[in-house]
Amino acid sequence: MARLVMKFGGTSVADVDRIRNVARHVQREVEAGYDIAVVVSAMSGKTNELVDWCRVASRFYDPREYDAVVAAGEQVTAGLLAIVLQDMGIPARSWQGWQVPILTSDAHGSARIADIDGSAIFKAFEERKEVAVIAGFQGLHQETGRISTLGRGGSDTSAVAIAAAIKAERCDIYTDVDGVYTTDPRIVAKARRLDRVAFEEMLEMASLGAKVLQVRSVELAMVYKVKTFVRSSFDDPLDPKPGTLICDEEDILEQQVVTGIAFSREEAQITLRRVADNPGVAAAIFMPLAEANINVDMIIQVVSDNTVATDITFTVPVVDFERARAILEKAQPQIGYGTLQGASDVVKISAIGVGMRSHPGVAARAFKALAEKGINIRAITTSEIKFSVLIEAAYTELAVRTLHSLYGLDKV
Ligand code: ADP
Ligand code: ASP
Ligand code: MG
């Protein structure tokens, strides 16, 4: 029989009533004749609460115990959905990551799925006609026998990986919006829902801040050719809409130059003033950061006119800001800079579209439009299908709306 994976995010399982609604969506697909694996997130807010508890317990908590704590949220919803399905007369059982098993690396807190053995799930389908309700976000590091988690938003990745493992016809990611939009519909009322979005664009959108899908889930969907839809759990279970299909670029007929605008407040800016303008200085700055596993994203070096000293600006993840600052202050004698200035009230706004490959000047138009609104750009990066600007966080909404209109994305 054909198989389907249905994933429900936190808002969709926020309480028992919503879980009942989810069960109706599952019932529809069971009645359509599918074998179903459901992947659930923790109830909305639960994971945040669990994370906070770890932080309150200790500033330097053991990441293996962090995973033992935060994986608990999904265990609750998996059990509850199985109970509700059984109550509706649908055979179902819950599965924890380790029971499937979903095997992962040992990078606790951001583990990667290494392998999924689908045979127990197949057996449940074949012998007991049972819906498999699988706790998302969690897995097992086999060598140590420890529970692991996949990073925030990781249930999306659980779902796509399970879909690949059981060769599902489709992976439906149900969430609180009815698809992927041209930008976050909670920020821009004129955002438009896309019927289709290319894997590469979705990958960039997710990496650049659109949290509707976890980046890794898009990578897996692309590599394993999993037909993945983003759709709403708030649709009538008897009359659902198809949502947005993530697909190959070639399968999209009407391609825009810019498909979407994303933004991320998770960056911080560091500027080193009066850096010696010598060979080797960039290495002296960036090597210690790389050794500390700190990802540097945007980099700007001003070409100096006196060839003695210059300024370098770059961004790091805001969570690593203090660590980066401490490393650079310690390395000050080797680097030889004047002062270090930092700012975390910044936002990175990005425009994404495969059409940029064949249309020059796309970014230049944005610089002009932002300047006309009085928005100062602090750093810029570009690549084949996207560009990003770093600006003051206070201008986030204005900048996103400006670019959204500029590239003709507004809903009419
Ligand atoms: P879930 O709990 O179902 O996993 P998330 O909160 O992780 O849901 O993701 C859905 C949210 O993603 C939406 O509520 C929306 O605010 C946000 N979002 C950001 N960018 C986009 C976008 N381009 N299209 C759709 N939703 C987006
Ligand atoms: N519950 C986890 C989180 O909030 C995983 C997920 O929802 O995808 O990050
Ligand atoms: Mg999510």
Side-chain angles (χ1 to χ4, degrees):
M1 220 182 320
R3 291 172 290 275
L4 210 62
V5 170
M6 307 173 75
K7 180 259 171 177
F8 295 90
T11 327
S12 308
V13 294
D15 54 39
V16 177
D17 271 345
R18 296 251 177 98
I19 292 178
R20 242 183 262 290
N21 175 63
V22 160
R24 289 190 198 103
H25 282 281
V26 177
Q27 182 178 34
R28 179 190 68 240
E29 303 295 2
V30 169
E31 287 172 358
Y34 286 104
D35 283 331
I36 313 278
V38 187
V39 174
V40 287
S41 288
M43 292 174 167
S44 71
K46 258 298 155 209
T47 310
N48 287 344
E49 184 181 37
L50 298 170
V51 170
D52 285 346
W53 284 350
C54 292
R55 291 198 180 126
V56 171
S58 167
R59 265 185 71 197
F60 304 103
Y61 49 74
D62 179 342
R64 294 164 299 189
E65 301 308 343
Y66 165 94
D67 274 354
V69 174
V70 300
E74 273 70 12
Q75 174 160 346
V76 174
T77 32
L80 284 173
L81 179 57
I83 291 174
V84 170
L85 285 167
Q86 289 170 4
D87 193 49
M88 290 165 66
I90 301 168
R93 76 153 271 194
S94 66
W95 295 83
Q96 303 305 301
W98 62 268
Q99 291 171 321
V100 173
I102 296 169
L103 303 180
T104 75
S105 69
D106 65 351
H108 286 279
S110 57
R112 286 169 80 92
I113 295 178
D115 190 34
I116 298 181
D117 181 350
S119 55
I121 302 290
F122 280 132
K123 210 165 155 199
F125 289 159
E126 280 156 25
E127 294 178 5
R128 302 189 294 279
K129 297 277 161 261
E130 201 176 67
V131 173
V133 186
I134 304 171
F137 183 50
Q138 48 163 275
L140 169 74
H141 179 245
Q142 196 165 35
E143 291 72 14
T144 54
R146 304 297 302 251
I147 290 172
S148 54
T149 65
L150 310 178
R152 300 306 305 270
S155 296
D156 299 329
T157 301
S158 308
V160 175
I162 290 164
I166 67 169
K167 300 197 170 41
E169 184 182 292
R170 227 168 61 222
C171 179
D172 286 339
I173 308 270
Y174 289 83
T175 181
D176 54 5
V177 286
D178 59 357
V180 177
Y181 278 69
T182 45
T183 192
D184 190 337
R186 297 189 198 287
I187 296 287
V188 179
K190 288 181 180 161
R192 256 190 303 124
R193 192 183 61 77
L194 299 160
D195 284 334
R196 292 176 173 224
V197 60
F199 284 118
E200 281 187 56
E201 290 172 332
M202 193 63 238
L203 209 51
E204 291 287 5
M205 281 170 73
S207 317
L208 296 167
K211 69 163 192 168
V212 60
L213 286 177
Q214 200 196 35
V215 179
R216 185 79 185 124
S217 71
V218 187
E219 284 171 4
L220 289 182
M222 189 156 105
V223 171
Y224 293 100
K225 303 208 175 307
V226 178
K227 195 171 178 191
T228 302
F229 285 85
V230 174
R231 52 196 301 192
S232 173
S233 70
F234 293 95
D235 283 350
D236 177 354
L238 297 177
D239 184 24
K241 312 279 180 305
T244 300
L245 172 66
I246 324 294
C247 62
D248 286 325
E249 197 178 318
E250 296 73 39
D251 297 332
I252 300 178
L253 295 177
E254 270 183 57
Q255 196 54 261
Q256 307 280 330
V257 177
V258 171
T259 306
I261 311 291
F263 58 92
S264 164
R265 296 194 178 93
E266 277 151 37
E267 311 266 325
Q269 176 192 337
I270 293 178
T271 299
L272 299 180
R273 300 257 179 233
R274 298 191 309 284
V275 179
D277 199 3
N278 296 327
V281 168
I285 296 170
F286 296 118
M287 282 309 286
L289 296 177
E291 280 159 16
N293 267 327
I294 297 177
N295 249 327
V296 174
D297 180 20
M298 310 170 107
I299 303 177
I300 292 193
Q301 174 171 356
V302 179
V303 178
S304 57
D305 54 5
N306 59 14
T307 68
V308 176
T310 184
D311 290 346
I312 294 187
T313 291
F314 53 91
T315 61
V316 295
V318 74
V319 287
D320 294 327
F321 182 41
E322 290 306 331
R323 227 158 43 92
R325 183 202 287 266
I327 290 169
L328 293 168
E329 281 170 354
K330 196 164 154 229
Q332 200 275 344
Q334 290 82 40
I335 304 169
Y337 60 84
T339 54
L340 183 157
Q341 291 167 348
S344 52
D345 58 341
V346 291
V347 63
K348 182 172 71 177
I349 314 261
S350 308
I352 298 113
V354 289
M356 280 190 211
R357 284 196 203 109
S358 44
H359 290 79
V362 179
R365 288 171 59 203
F367 306 153
K368 182 161 175 278
L370 294 173
E372 281 166 8
K373 300 276 182 199
I375 301 172
N376 186 35
I377 299 173
R378 299 175 176 209
I380 300 169
T381 50
T382 62
S383 72
E384 212 186 14
I385 66 161
K386 58 111 184 166
F387 70 85
S388 306
V389 293
L390 189 75
I391 62 166
E392 200 181 315
Y395 294 110
T396 306
E397 296 190 22
L398 178 61
V400 172
R401 289 204 185 106
T402 301
L403 298 191
H404 198 265
S405 303
L406 176 71
Y407 296 117
L409 300 175
D410 288 354
K411 186 163 61 186
V412 279

